[in-house]
Coordinates of all heavy atoms in Angstrom, one line a residue:
I1 N -19.1 17.6 -10.0 CA -19.5 16.3 -9.4 C -19.0 15.1 -10.2 O -18.4 14.2 -9.7 CB -21.1 16.2 -9.4 CG1 -21.7 17.1 -8.3 CG2 -21.5 14.8 -9.0 CD1 -23.2 17.2 -8.3
R2 N -19.0 15.3 -11.5 CA -18.4 14.2 -12.4 C -16.9 14.2 -12.2 O -16.4 13.0 -12.1 CB -18.7 14.6 -13.9 CG -18.0 13.6 -14.9 CD -18.3 13.9 -16.2 NE -19.6 13.5 -16.6 CZ -20.4 14.2 -17.4 NH1 -20.0 15.2 -18.0 NH2 -21.7 13.7 -17.6
S3 N -16.3 15.2 -12.0 CA -14.8 15.3 -11.8 C -14.4 14.6 -10.4 O -13.6 13.8 -10.4 CB -14.3 16.7 -11.7 OG -13.0 16.7 -11.5
Q4 N -15.3 14.9 -9.4 CA -15.1 14.2 -8.1 C -15.3 12.7 -8.3 O -14.5 11.9 -7.6 CB -15.9 14.8 -7.1 CG -15.6 16.3 -6.6 CD -16.6 16.9 -5.7 OE1 -17.7 16.3 -5.5 NE2 -16.2 17.9 -5.0
L5 N -16.3 12.3 -9.0 CA -16.6 11.0 -9.1 C -15.6 10.1 -9.8 O -15.2 9.1 -9.5 CB -18.0 10.7 -9.7 CG -19.2 11.1 -8.8 CD1 -20.5 11.0 -9.7 CD2 -19.3 10.1 -7.6
E6 N -15.0 10.8 -11.0 CA -14.0 10.2 -11.7 C -12.7 10.1 -10.8 O -12.0 9.1 -11.0 CB -13.6 11.1 -13.0 CG -14.8 10.9 -14.0 CD -14.6 11.8 -15.2 OE1 -13.7 12.7 -15.1 OE2 -15.3 11.6 -16.2
T7 N -12.4 11.0 -10.0 CA -11.3 11.0 -9.0 C -11.5 9.8 -8.1 O -10.5 9.0 -7.8 CB -11.0 12.3 -8.3 OG1 -10.9 13.3 -9.3 CG2 -9.9 12.2 -7.4
E8 N -12.7 9.7 -7.5 CA -12.9 8.6 -6.6 C -12.9 7.2 -7.4 O -12.4 6.2 -6.8 CB -14.3 8.8 -6.0 CG -14.3 9.8 -4.9 CD -15.8 10.0 -4.2 OE1 -16.3 8.9 -4.0 OE2 -16.1 11.1 -4.0
L9 N -13.3 7.1 -8.6 CA -13.3 5.9 -9.4 C -11.9 5.6 -9.6 O -11.5 4.3 -9.4 CB -14.0 6.2 -10.7 CG -14.2 4.9 -11.6 CD1 -14.9 3.9 -10.9 CD2 -14.8 5.4 -12.9
E10 N -11.0 6.5 -9.9 CA -9.5 6.1 -10.1 C -8.9 5.6 -8.8 O -8.2 4.6 -8.8 CB -8.8 7.4 -10.5 CG -9.1 7.7 -12.0 CD -8.4 9.1 -12.4 OE1 -7.5 9.5 -11.7 OE2 -8.8 9.6 -13.5
C11 N -9.2 6.3 -7.7 CA -8.8 5.9 -6.4 C -9.3 4.4 -6.0 O -8.5 3.5 -5.6 CB -9.2 6.8 -5.3 SG -8.2 8.4 -5.4
S12 N -10.6 4.3 -6.3 CA -11.2 2.9 -6.1 C -10.5 1.8 -7.0 O -10.2 0.7 -6.5 CB -12.7 3.1 -6.4 OG -13.3 1.8 -6.3
A13 N -10.3 2.1 -8.2 CA -9.6 1.1 -9.1 C -8.2 0.8 -8.6 O -7.9 -0.4 -8.6 CB -9.6 1.7 -10.5
A14 N -7.5 1.8 -8.1 CA -6.2 1.7 -7.6 C -6.2 0.7 -6.4 O -5.4 -0.2 -6.2 CB -5.4 2.9 -7.4
E15 N -7.3 0.9 -5.5 CA -7.4 0.2 -4.3 C -7.8 -1.2 -4.6 O -7.2 -2.2 -4.0 CB -8.4 0.8 -3.4 CG -8.7 0.1 -2.1 CD -7.6 0.2 -1.1 OE1 -6.6 0.9 -1.3 OE2 -7.6 -0.5 -0.1
V16 N -8.7 -1.4 -5.6 CA -9.0 -2.8 -6.1 C -7.8 -3.6 -6.6 O -7.6 -4.7 -6.4 CB -10.1 -2.7 -7.1 CG1 -10.4 -4.1 -7.8 CG2 -11.5 -2.3 -6.5
G17 N -7.0 -2.9 -7.4 CA -5.8 -3.5 -7.9 C -4.9 -3.9 -6.8 O -4.4 -5.0 -6.9
R18 N -4.6 -3.1 -5.9 CA -3.8 -3.4 -4.7 C -4.3 -4.5 -4.0 O -3.6 -5.5 -3.6 CB -3.8 -2.1 -3.8 CG -2.6 -2.4 -2.6 CD -2.7 -1.2 -1.7 NE -4.0 -1.1 -0.9 CZ -4.3 -1.9 0.1 NH1 -3.6 -2.9 0.4 NH2 -5.5 -1.7 0.6
L19 N -5.6 -4.6 -3.7 CA -6.2 -5.7 -2.9 C -6.2 -7.0 -3.6 O -6.0 -8.1 -3.0 CB -7.7 -5.3 -2.5 CG -7.8 -4.1 -1.4 CD1 -9.2 -3.8 -1.2 CD2 -7.3 -4.7 -0.2
K20 N -6.4 -7.0 -5.0 CA -6.2 -8.3 -5.8 C -4.9 -8.7 -5.8 O -4.6 -10.0 -5.6 CB -6.7 -8.0 -7.2 CG -8.2 -7.8 -7.5 CD -8.4 -7.6 -8.9 CE -9.9 -7.6 -9.2 NZ -10.3 -7.3 -10.6
A21 N -3.8 -7.9 -5.8 CA -2.5 -8.4 -5.7 C -2.2 -8.9 -4.3 O -1.5 -10.0 -4.2 CB -1.5 -7.2 -6.0
E22 N -2.7 -8.3 -3.3 CA -2.6 -8.9 -2.0 C -3.2 -10.2 -1.7 O -2.8 -11.1 -1.1 CB -3.1 -7.8 -1.0 CG -2.7 -8.0 0.5 CD -3.2 -7.0 1.4 OE1 -3.2 -5.7 0.9 OE2 -3.7 -7.2 2.5
L23 N -4.5 -10.3 -2.3 CA -5.3 -11.5 -2.3 C -4.4 -12.6 -3.0 O -4.3 -13.8 -2.5 CB -6.6 -11.4 -2.9 CG -7.4 -12.6 -3.0 CD1 -7.7 -13.2 -1.6 CD2 -8.7 -12.3 -3.7
A24 N -3.9 -12.3 -4.2 CA -3.1 -13.3 -4.9 C -1.9 -13.9 -4.1 O -1.6 -15.0 -4.0 CB -2.7 -12.8 -6.3
A25 N -1.2 -12.9 -3.4 CA 0.0 -13.3 -2.7 C -0.5 -14.1 -1.4 O 0.2 -15.1 -1.2 CB 0.6 -12.1 -2.2
A26 N -1.6 -13.7 -0.8 CA -2.2 -14.5 0.3 C -2.5 -15.9 -0.1 O -2.3 -17.0 0.6 CB -3.3 -13.8 1.0
E27 N -3.1 -16.1 -1.3 CA -3.6 -17.5 -1.9 C -2.4 -18.2 -2.2 O -2.4 -19.5 -1.9 CB -4.5 -17.2 -3.1 CG -5.9 -16.7 -2.7 CD -6.8 -16.5 -3.9 OE1 -6.2 -16.2 -5.0 OE2 -8.0 -16.5 -3.7
K28 N -1.3 -17.7 -2.7 CA -0.1 -18.4 -2.9 C 0.5 -18.9 -1.8 O 0.9 -20.1 -1.7 CB 0.8 -17.5 -3.7 CG 2.1 -18.2 -4.2 CD 3.0 -17.2 -5.0 CE 4.3 -17.9 -5.3 NZ 5.3 -16.9 -5.9
D29 N 0.6 -18.0 -0.7 CA 1.2 -18.5 0.6 C 0.3 -19.6 1.2 O 0.8 -20.6 1.7 CB 1.1 -17.2 1.5 CG 2.3 -16.2 1.2 OD1 3.1 -16.6 0.4 OD2 2.2 -15.2 1.7
H30 N -1.1 -19.4 1.2 CA -2.0 -20.4 1.7 C -1.8 -21.8 1.0 O -1.8 -22.8 1.7 CB -3.5 -20.0 1.5 CG -4.4 -21.0 2.0 ND1 -4.7 -21.1 3.3 CD2 -5.2 -21.8 1.4 CE1 -5.7 -22.1 3.5 NE2 -6.0 -22.5 2.3
K31 N -1.6 -21.8 -0.3 CA -1.4 -23.0 -1.1 C -0.1 -23.7 -0.6 O 0.0 -24.8 -0.4 CB -1.4 -22.8 -2.6 CG -1.3 -24.1 -3.4 CD -1.2 -23.8 -4.8 CE -1.1 -25.0 -5.7 NZ -0.4 -26.2 -5.1
A32 N 0.9 -22.9 -0.6 CA 2.2 -23.5 -0.1 C 2.2 -24.0 1.3 O 2.7 -25.1 1.5 CB 3.4 -22.3 -0.2
I33 N 1.5 -23.4 2.2 CA 1.4 -24.0 3.6 C 0.5 -25.2 3.5 O 0.9 -26.2 4.1 CB 0.8 -22.9 4.5 CG1 1.8 -21.7 4.7 CG2 0.5 -23.5 5.9 CD1 1.2 -20.5 5.3
T34 N -0.6 -25.2 2.8 CA -1.4 -26.4 2.6 C -0.6 -27.6 2.1 O -0.7 -28.7 2.6 CB -2.7 -26.1 1.8 OG1 -3.4 -25.0 2.4 CG2 -3.5 -27.3 1.6
D35 N 0.1 -27.3 1.1 CA 1.0 -28.3 0.5 C 2.0 -28.9 1.4 O 2.2 -30.1 1.5 CB 1.7 -27.9 -0.9 CG 0.7 -27.6 -2.0 OD1 -0.4 -28.0 -1.9 OD2 1.2 -26.9 -2.9
A36 N 2.5 -28.1 2.2 CA 3.5 -28.5 3.3 C 2.8 -29.3 4.2 O 3.4 -30.3 4.7 CB 4.2 -27.3 3.9
V37 N 1.7 -28.9 4.7 CA 1.0 -29.7 5.8 C 0.6 -31.0 5.2 O 0.8 -32.1 5.9 CB -0.3 -28.9 6.2 CG1 -1.1 -29.8 7.1 CG2 0.2 -27.6 7.0
N38 N 0.0 -31.0 4.1 CA -0.3 -32.3 3.5 C 0.8 -33.3 3.2 O 0.8 -34.5 3.4 CB -1.0 -32.1 2.0 CG -2.4 -31.5 2.3 OD1 -3.0 -31.7 3.3 ND2 -2.9 -30.9 1.2
A39 N 2.1 -32.7 2.8 CA 3.2 -33.5 2.6 C 3.7 -34.1 3.9 O 4.2 -35.3 4.0 CB 4.3 -32.7 2.0
L40 N 3.7 -33.4 5.0 CA 4.1 -33.8 6.3 C 3.1 -34.8 6.8 O 3.4 -35.8 7.7 CB 4.3 -32.7 7.2 CG 5.5 -31.8 6.9 CD1 5.5 -30.6 7.8 CD2 6.9 -32.6 7.0
G41 N 1.8 -34.7 6.7 CA 0.8 -35.5 7.2 C 0.5 -36.6 6.4 O -0.5 -37.4 6.8
R42 N 1.0 -36.8 5.2 CA 0.5 -37.8 4.2 C 0.8 -39.2 4.8 O 1.9 -39.5 5.3 CB 1.3 -37.7 2.9 CG 0.7 -38.5 1.9 CD 1.3 -38.3 0.6 NE 1.0 -36.9 0.2 CZ 1.9 -36.1 -0.6 NH1 3.0 -36.6 -1.0 NH2 1.6 -34.8 -0.8

């Protein structure tokens, strides 16, 4: 059971890392788009 849980924990940690990187990229894109909209609409 401990071995299975540790395997799941490693998979979960990898998924969390992937999602954090994806979120950071999405936030960067969102900021760039927001800045562009503000610059055009200023």
Side-chain angles (χ1 to χ4, degrees):
I1 293 171
R2 177 178 287 138
S3 178
Q4 286 176 345
L5 287 173
E6 286 173 351
T7 302
E8 285 183 40
L9 184 61
E10 288 174 15
C11 290
S12 175
E15 181 71 5
V16 166
R18 185 188 66 75
L19 290 172
K20 282 183 179 180
E22 193 175 319
L23 175 62
E27 286 176 336
K28 183 179 176 185
D29 290 345
H30 178 74
K31 184 184 180 324
I33 293 168
T34 300
D35 290 347
V37 168
N38 288 339
L40 292 174
R42 188 174 303 147

